[in-house]
Amino acid sequence: MWYHRLSHLQSRLQDLLKGGVICQALPQPTFKSLLPLAVRWHHTASKSLTCAWQQHEDHFELKYANTVMRFDYVWLRDHCRSASCYNSKTHQRSLDTASVDLCIKPKTIHLDETTLFFTWPDGHVTKYDLNWLVKNSYEGQKQKVIQPRILWNAEIYQQAQVPSVDCQSFLETKEGLKKFLQNFLLYGIAFVENVPPTREHTEKLAERISLIRETIYGRMWYFTSDFSRGDTAYTKLALDRHTDTTYFQEPCGIQVFHCLKHEGTGGRTLLVDGFYAAQQVLQKAPEEFELLSKVPLKHEYIEDVGECHNHMIGIGPVLNIYPWNKELYLIRLFKEKQDMVNRQWNSSLQCCIPERTLTYCHFISGTSIEHRERLM
């Protein structure tokens, strides 16, 4: 039963979160050539690449850049980038898709160096660069990685010696911002040091990257162990490895944490690379990876404290992947906010970050798993 398998997976993944394993990039599926059709191909040489195509009754087949692609004629007509069909300033279509004949076929097709020209029955001409077609074809997308990443555990991250960025450089120079963004996109976490311990400076740093999202907590908020909100984060209890806002239909993509003041002991933060854990599941138990990426779970947040009355539900699988290339892009993991498992479950892995000074901000993506030690 789903429940039995998902419960078993939860136990296995919690064990995996505590262990070190070898890091490699998530394997991308290799494209297998399509079977050749018994139709004569048109062959041309384009620079150092060979281009060949066939005209079929309902689609256009193209061989280029070691890729075999198939395009529906309606798609080719609808995606025309001519001035009468596409507004290059707004990057929006001008052509009414509903006006395209579903049985449309080009009258002629010819190649000029690296550009294909389609002449349609009404005389309109559509031209496509060959590389544009590869980039935007379904087959090309299957081979493309949306966001290259470096997967890590404690040892890998420490050996990488990923540098922090100074606050002033981050705010005032393109080089500082670029350095930060490179670290963040590759590792899913990044640090800015020497940030004055104020809400205003924290907000200024966040706005340097993107717009700040409004939530049930506001745009910017303080939290401490005073139980002013109906959430475990506002207590002295430890929080196990998790991702935040799993109960949002669209969980936060970037979070900013800034420790303004610390008294007593405890409260250390452990950060974990969730993609690293997911990769181990994919390698060691591909059937379980598929289960975690297909079975939707309900994550629920219920709050009834003081003036705060909220009830939010987010639904989605633990591992969210792009269907065309199986690339992982989001993890939902917070078992405390996971609702009753009727026919569903959650995932991720372990990695330590060295303790830092109190005058830094750290940014984490929605795929890095956070753990907070109990406050004493």
Side-chain angles (χ1 to χ4, degrees), residues 79-103:
H79 285 74
C80 179
R81 274 1 191 198
S82 67
S84 62
C85 298
Y86 184 77
N87 189 324
S88 59
K89 293 183 179 179
T90 63
H91 303 284
Q92 294 174 327
R93 285 187 182 87
S94 301
L95 174 68
D96 179 10
T97 303
S99 68
V100 179
D101 183 356
L102 296 181
C103 297

Side-chain angles (χ1 to χ4, degrees), residues 105-120:
K105 289 175 58 179
K107 290 176 61 178
T108 62
I109 302 174
H110 77 274
L111 177 72
D112 182 7
E113 294 187 353
T114 61
T115 303
L116 272 169
F117 293 83
F118 296 82
T119 301
W120 303 103

Side-chain angles (χ1 to χ4, degrees), residues 59-240:
H59 70 277
F60 175 73
E61 189 167 356
L62 174 67
K63 286 184 178 180
Y64 183 71
N66 299 317
T67 304
V68 179
M69 298 157 279
R70 292 181 176 181
F71 300 92
D72 187 280
Y73 291 130
V74 174
W75 187 93
L76 288 168
R77 181 62 187 91
D78 186 43
H79 285 74
C80 179
R81 274 1 191 198
S82 67
S84 62
C85 298
Y86 184 77
N87 189 324
S88 59
K89 293 183 179 179
T90 63
H91 303 284
Q92 294 174 327
R93 285 187 182 87
S94 301
L95 174 68
D96 179 10
T97 303
S99 68
V100 179
D101 183 356
L102 296 181
C103 297
I104 195 169
K105 289 175 58 179
K107 290 176 61 178
T108 62
I109 302 174
H110 77 274
L111 177 72
D112 182 7
E113 294 187 353
T114 61
T115 303
L116 272 169
F117 293 83
F118 296 82
T119 301
W120 303 103
D122 62 358
H124 183 81
V125 176
T126 295
K127 60 180 181 179
Y128 285 118
D129 181 79
L130 291 174
N131 289 320
W132 188 94
L133 288 173
V134 173
K135 179 181 177 182
N136 291 281
S137 69
Y138 178 75
E139 294 80 8
Q141 289 291 322
K142 286 170 65 177
Q143 303 177 68
K144 180 182 177 182
V145 176
I146 302 299
Q147 176 56 57
R149 302 179 178 92
I150 296 176
L151 308 184
W152 48 269
N153 62 7
E155 181 180 2
I156 294 169
Y157 191 82
Q158 289 167 351
Q159 289 180 352
Q161 297 183 337
V162 183
S164 300
V165 179
D166 181 75
C167 178
Q168 185 174 357
S169 175
F170 175 80
L171 291 174
E172 299 178 4
T173 70
K174 291 183 178 180
E175 291 75 17
L177 178 61
K178 179 181 178 181
K179 180 181 175 182
F180 168 87
L181 292 174
Q182 287 175 334
N183 293 341
F184 182 73
L185 292 173
L186 284 175
Y187 292 94
I189 59 173
F191 296 84
V192 179
E193 293 190 319
N194 302 318
V195 183
T198 68
R199 172 176 174 149
E200 291 70 29
H201 282 88
T202 309
E203 185 172 7
K204 190 175 182 181
L205 259 70
E207 290 176 334
R208 175 75 163 138
I209 298 176
S210 182
L211 297 173
I212 300 176
R213 180 175 173 179
E214 188 71 47
T215 71
I216 59 174
Y217 304 102
R219 294 174 73 253
M220 302 282 297
W221 66 91
Y222 295 101
F223 65 91
T224 188
S225 54
D226 59 1
F227 201 61
S228 58
R229 299 294 299 263
D231 194 291
T232 310
Y234 289 79
T235 71
K236 294 183 178 181
L237 298 174
L239 293 176
D240 202 356

Side-chain angles (χ1 to χ4, degrees), residues 246-249 298-301 311-315 339:
T246 57
Y247 43 86
F248 286 4
Q249 279 298 92
K298 182 167 74 171
H299 296 263
E300 192 166 15
Y301 179 80
H311 187 179
M312 302 187 70
I313 296 175
I315 299 175
D339 196 13

